[in-house]
Amino acid sequence: MNGTERKNIHPGSRVKIVQKQHQKTGQLTEGIVKDILTNSQVHHRGIKVRLDNGIIGRVQEIL
């Protein structure tokens, strides 16, 4: 599923995100969504979320 649409992402979803410092390398971090931080319904680089471990990044994949 696509991580650019807010409707696809819910707290408790397992996702892969890219953190700001890893945007150039594309290194992904897997985790469980705790909070959705992007207010808009669509974001072209991915919806920004906070994982349950506190890491913040933009959703690249929904697992």
Side-chain angles (χ1 to χ4, degrees):
M1 257 207 260
N2 193 332
T4 61
E5 294 184 16
R6 196 173 195 273
K7 67 180 182 182
N8 296 334
I9 302 165
H10 309 284
S13 299
R14 179 170 287 282
V15 297
K16 286 188 179 181
I17 65 167
V18 63
Q19 297 176 60
K20 187 161 187 85
Q21 66 268 29
H22 297 147
Q23 283 177 345
K24 289 183 180 169
T25 64
Q27 179 183 339
L28 299 179
T29 304
E30 189 173 323
I32 305 290
V33 175
K34 180 178 179 186
D35 300 309
I36 300 174
L37 304 177
T38 300
N39 289 324
S40 64
Q41 294 303 309
V42 178
H43 194 285
H44 66 285
R45 287 194 310 268
I47 300 296
K48 189 179 279 189
V49 298
R50 177 181 296 117
L51 301 181
D52 58 358
N53 58 9
I55 296 173
I56 294 174
R58 295 193 181 274
V59 176
Q60 302 299 300
E61 294 179 38
I62 301 171
L63 305 176

